[in-house]
Amino acid sequence: MVAPQSDNTAIIDRRVKKILRSIELMRPIPMVITRIMRSLDEPGSSAGYVSEIIGLDQALAANVLQAANSAFLGYGPSCTTLKEAVMRLGYKRIRTLVLAVAASRGMDGSLAGYNMAAGDMWAHSVATAVAAQWFARAVDYLEPEEAYSAGLLHDIGKIVLNKFAEEEYKWVFKNQQKQSETIFETEKKTFGVDHAYIGSLMAQKWTFPQVLINAIQYHHNPEGAGEYKQLAAITNLANALTPVDPETLTRLGPRKVNEASYDILKITPDRVAAMNSQMVTYYKMNFGTGR
Ligand SMILES: [Fe+2]
Ligand SMILES: [Fe+2]
């Protein structure tokens, strides 16, 4: 039996309240992260000093080392100390990584509600980050590093939604696959709230820069991102086009480019397709992966 409309609205209202409350209760960004951010801003702070502070958080240190040796970034696996890693990555990228790691503790776990296996979320996020940076350079966006951050963080809202609405989400995901809607569209219909909006609330809570907050919030609807719509459009392209292995692709469900992204970036779909295949070729040639 289908619930009457008013009952349904009440249920959705309750769910939204519960989800929003969970964000209010979310832990603030850990002290060590704030300290790292501050050390990156201090004029003349050395790589040694920054790496010392990063070293206070073991998991974070491991992530930074891993990133510095990552094929995604075009490096070989030769970086063994944190200090070297900091020098290799540079402060801008360290900032991004640290924010991303803080925000995404949980991305390694499975997102059962989204039918995603352990690591899928992180793999999709890294692939989107790399693609966003690639597209940003191709369209001469002034801050390609920013695009990397936006790509890495665009789906953080899924972590919260998955945790607090897991049962409903299993249903949402099945329903979405049947109707070949994007998960974003199904979330909106079912909950009145979607992972992009929830992600932006998380980013706000953690006082991320406004450009990132907007890129996260509007990565499916870039035209809403006001003065930051370029970054939102780049993230939208990257999210929809980033290639992943076919198995993960199935689990992620359909992803679509929003037509507005082409207008915002003043670019044709053909040009985007060409940039995309250049990217895939580049990664395949250099690293043997299409990601
Ligand atoms: Fe998304
Ligand atoms: Fe995504």
Side-chain angles (χ1 to χ4, degrees), residues 12-281:
I12 290 175
D13 279 355
R14 263 205 307 278
R15 280 181 194 155
V16 170
K17 275 201 191 108
K18 200 169 129 191
I19 293 164
L20 295 182
R21 179 97 186 105
S22 76
I23 294 175
E24 273 167 39
L25 294 173
M26 214 166 60
R27 272 181 304 162
I29 216 135
M31 198 53 203
V32 63
I33 306 289
T34 321
R35 275 184 73 188
I36 296 167
M37 291 301 163
R38 227 180 284 139
S39 77
L40 291 169
D41 286 336
E42 275 167 31
S45 82
S46 68
Y49 175 61
V50 172
S51 59
E52 241 171 66
I53 300 177
I54 293 176
L56 296 174
D57 184 315
Q58 227 176 7
L60 185 63
N63 274 308
V64 169
L65 261 180
Q66 198 185 9
N69 288 310
S70 164
F72 284 125
L73 300 179
Y75 304 125
S78 59
C79 207
T80 50
T81 71
L82 255 185
K83 189 177 163 191
E84 263 178 285
V86 169
M87 290 196 301
R88 183 182 264 196
L89 289 166
Y91 283 14
K92 266 194 180 172
R93 217 173 231 149
I94 291 285
R95 177 185 297 280
T96 298
L97 262 170
V98 166
L99 276 182
V101 169
S104 66
R105 294 207 150 142
M107 275 195 197
D108 272 341
S110 74
L111 295 190
Y114 285 92
N115 202 22
M116 285 166 104
D120 276 2
M121 174 73 171
W122 184 247
H124 169 61
S125 302
V126 173
T128 306
V130 171
Q133 188 165 328
W134 182 278
F135 288 134
R137 290 210 172 107
V139 300
D140 293 324
Y141 183 69
L142 288 178
E143 297 281 352
E145 294 289 340
E146 235 171 50
Y148 184 90
S149 311
L152 205 53
L153 299 167
H154 74 285
D155 274 341
I156 45 168
K158 285 185 180 174
I159 298 172
V160 163
L161 284 187
N162 181 69
K163 235 188 247 166
F164 290 90
E166 194 171 313
E167 278 314 305
E168 289 94 335
Y169 260 75
K170 273 187 191 146
W171 180 84
V172 168
F173 187 82
K174 271 194 207 124
N175 204 39
Q176 170 238 341
Q177 279 202 321
K178 249 190 270 156
Q179 299 173 10
S180 79
E181 284 175 337
T182 65
I183 192 87
F184 172 78
E185 290 161 337
T186 315
E187 285 168 348
K188 264 207 109 109
K189 253 204 248 164
T190 320
F191 296 107
V193 71
D194 59 79
H195 70 270
Y197 175 63
I198 295 299
S200 77
L201 294 182
M202 294 162 78
Q204 239 165 3
K205 166 119 186 176
W206 288 325
T207 63
F208 285 9
Q210 193 61 42
V211 60
L212 275 185
I213 297 174
N214 282 35
I216 293 169
Q217 179 164 0
Y218 297 103
H219 72 268
H220 290 284
N221 286 322
E223 67 275 30
E227 62 181 298
Y228 302 118
K229 60 184 177 208
Q230 264 196 314
L231 187 63
I234 289 170
T235 315
N236 176 259
L237 287 184
N239 170 57
L241 298 174
T242 176
V244 283
D245 65 89
E247 205 188 315
T248 317
L249 204 63
T250 320
R251 285 198 295 265
L252 282 172
R255 291 168 294 152
K256 290 193 273 212
V257 173
N258 186 319
E259 296 286 316
S261 300
Y262 300 121
D263 290 343
I264 293 168
L265 299 171
K266 298 185 180 57
I267 201 165
T268 62
D270 284 352
R271 176 88 187 93
V272 170
M275 288 179 333
N276 202 36
S277 71
Q278 276 165 4
M279 176 177 73
V280 173
T281 311

